[in-house]
Amino acid sequence: MDKIIVIDYGSQYNELIVRRLRDLNVESYLCPSTFSYEDALKINDLKGIILSGGFDSVSSSSLSFNKDLLKLNVPILGICYGMELLSHFLNGQINKAKNSEYGRSLINVDNSSPIFKNLPSSFNAWMSHSDSVTFDNNEDIKIIATNKNKEVVGFSYKNSIYGLLFHPEVNNTDFSKEIFLNFIDICGAKRDFIMDNFVETKIKEIREEVKDKKVILGLSGGVDSAVCALLLHKAIGDNLIPVFIDHGLNRKYEKEELEERFVKKLHLNVVIKDFSQVFLERLNGVTDPETKRKIIGKTFIDCFKKVADEYKDIDFLAQGTLYTDIVESGKGGISKVIKSHHNVGGLPKDLNFKLIEPLKTLYKDQVREVGKILGLDKEFLYRQPFPGPGLGIRIIGEITKEKLDILREADYILRSEVKNNHLTNDIWQYFCVLTNLKSVGVMGDNRTYCYALAIRCVTSIDGMTADFYKMDYDILGKIANRIVNEVKGINRVLYDVTSKPPSTIEYE
Ligand code: XMP
């Protein structure tokens, strides 16, 4: 698939450039500012380069343009700081602008230039700069956009290098999509980044890389590892060893659903290993949330290693790492952070396997699309997030088998009622938490002294912030009623009405 890469000079809008290109079906990702000619040669079908904006001024920044990249003979578009870098390289002068420009501003453009093809001669563009650019006479350089003060906000050089001082990637710029489409045309890039092609290409790449070797993968029950497993299974069949470590901290029917979906329907040879006793023993008496998390993480790794040791001829470890995992684990472009993140998903760094991460260039919605192509059902693909440490961080205080069973039953009732009342699309995450508060109640003629259970339902976009879900009182009442009647050990139900921040979504 043809690619246009984005070199990262630190602008807050960088991910938007990548997203714009992908939405127009061109494969793209961020590369660090140290990206070299040799790095570029390793990328198949590289059709164009975009230099991003940045927070610095060219005169004071150490981030520069690697002019060897010109030897690639692919079109280059510099945006804001990226334009300044190109201007500097082409002997333009960068000065402090008399008037810095921030926000929407009317610009005039030369719409005979390919980058402004089919656009009107003036429109609004999003500015965020404090420098200005001037060029001495240079017949190869054309000024193709100016602002209301007649200052240069766009130039082209020999119809293969373009600079725009404004941000075409931002929605506030008119004709944002058209400008990117024009650049894609200039690059001659095929818009073939569609998920069917992605699946086909990846399968081919995986086969070439893995050959007849074996690959182990931790199937967590989440979407990413599931899609990764299916892609590998399609490529190498039963040379994939998907391992499900049952830590005993899962929701009711989790293991059964996994078997039904992956083993019976999708024919994966999942190795299911029950380590719940090991987890319970190691968590015995532990109450501190961070210690619990550490124990669960470490025990998971130990158990995974144990299973891996049973197979003698494994060469690769596959992980469902996503593009956002990479970006979040360290800004600065895809190639720079690839090495530092490979315990994303909680797997060990020191397993002596080569790492294979076929989804690492995809966003979550694209992973779901791939999952759909590979036969995963919608209910699974759009399920609510579930944390790696499972119910272990939803039991306040010590974790016991008895508490896990109580929580599992209550949580199952909540999930069933959310589904029955068609609320799954309205609530981003919904679950129960077993508090360590016991209180007095009365059932029949008897006094009870049981746990209070908290229900947490939130709306959110990405889990970074959240608000509590305003659930209908009748539905809430019914859920509470069912829980206290059907689950032995709970005599009180509380509804959490805090947002994040100041609370978090999970309790531990
Ligand atoms: P918090 O509690 O930080 O949760 O507001 C935000 C989102 O992250 C999920 N979460 C986790 N997911 N491993 C995960 O895979 C974890 O250790 C973990 N902790 C929290 C949480 O469920 C929510 O969606």
Side-chain angles (χ1 to χ4, degrees), residues 293 385-389 393-394 428-429 431 462-464 500 503-508:
R293 277 178 173 273
F386 186 63
I393 54 167
R394 292 179 180 173
W428 194 75
Q429 202 170 5
F431 55 89
D462 50 14
M464 304 299 282
K500 172 184 177 176
S503 291
T504 51
I505 297 177
E506 302 288 348
Y507 276 38
E508 291 201 328

Side-chain angles (χ1 to χ4, degrees), residues 1-39:
M1 280 171 283
D2 287 354
K3 294 170 197 70
I4 296 178
I5 56 134
V6 179
I7 300 189
D8 181 0
Y9 290 106
S11 156
Q12 56 177 323
Y13 303 130
N14 286 349
E15 288 303 328
L16 270 180
I17 308 176
V18 172
R19 191 73 239 204
R20 282 259 174 253
L21 290 162
R22 292 194 188 193
D23 285 346
L24 295 168
N25 304 110
V26 175
E27 184 167 4
S28 176
Y29 40 81
L30 275 186
C31 294
S33 58
T34 51
F35 185 77
S36 67
Y37 175 68
E38 288 69 29
D39 292 331

Side-chain angles (χ1 to χ4, degrees), residues 345-371:
L347 278 176
K349 278 184 196 160
D350 55 342
L351 279 175
N352 271 335
F353 300 129
K354 282 177 240 163
L355 197 61
I356 179 163
E357 298 171 298
L359 309 178
K360 71 178 177 217
T361 57
L362 299 188
Y363 288 100
K364 189 83 174 186
D365 55 319
Q366 296 172 316
V367 170
R368 289 199 176 103
E369 241 184 280
V370 171

